[in-house]
Amino acid sequence: MGHTTVPGLSAQWSVAALGHRRDLPTLDRHVPLGPDQAAVRLGVRRTDFDLIAGRLGWLAPVASVDVDHKHHGGATTVPLYNARDIAPLEVTRPSVNWRAGRTVTGGRRSPLAALHPAGPGGDRVFLAEVARIARVGRAPRS
């Protein structure tokens, strides 16, 4: 896992600077996301994302960054997740009731909390299965 230290860099400044890039649509799938941004991308609460990445083990950080909060007690290490790993979760986890996970209100137990981590080898999804779930086939040969 890569690790980058950014002394004195404000996380809000980084996000704002990234938002002004004209090539953002092409970078989007390659940009590492912090847990808050990843939860927004997936459409779930941050606590639910922590379940997905932590206890359930469906995502692993690809890097981390130290954000220095000089006035608030020092640096904090923030894990970063690949947007490409987040995007197919709905397709590769069709048994999850994503709608219920997205509509649960604050103070209520998440339906994701009832799920169990995948066993060894049980977390593997082949491309043929993803294609079947997404209802796509092979491209015609020219």
Side-chain angles (χ1 to χ4, degrees), residues 34-114:
D36 291 330
Q37 293 85 11
V40 169
R41 173 68 53 90
L42 199 50
V44 298
R45 299 180 302 184
R46 167 64 193 269
T47 55
D48 293 335
F49 180 79
D50 290 343
L51 279 171
I52 289 168
R55 187 176 65 79
L56 294 173
W58 294 350
L59 294 169
V62 294
S64 64
V65 64
D66 283 342
V67 179
D68 191 5
H69 302 285
K70 292 184 189 258
H71 301 291
H72 300 286
T76 301
T77 301
V78 177
L80 300 174
Y81 299 89
N82 197 326
R84 294 187 291 226
D85 297 336
I86 295 166
L89 278 178
E90 284 186 71
V91 175
T92 59
R93 307 271 178 204
S95 61
V96 174
N97 185 344
W98 290 101
R99 183 170 184 233
R102 289 185 174 114
T103 58
V104 67
T105 57
R108 308 280 298 184
R109 187 168 193 253
S110 170
L112 296 172

Side-chain angles (χ1 to χ4, degrees), residues 18-33 41 82-84:
L18 185 61
H20 291 296
R21 291 189 63 158
R22 289 179 185 229
D23 59 345
L24 184 59
T26 59
L27 290 175
D28 185 47
R29 64 183 182 179
H30 301 293
V31 173
L33 303 172
R41 173 68 53 90
N82 197 326
R84 294 187 291 226

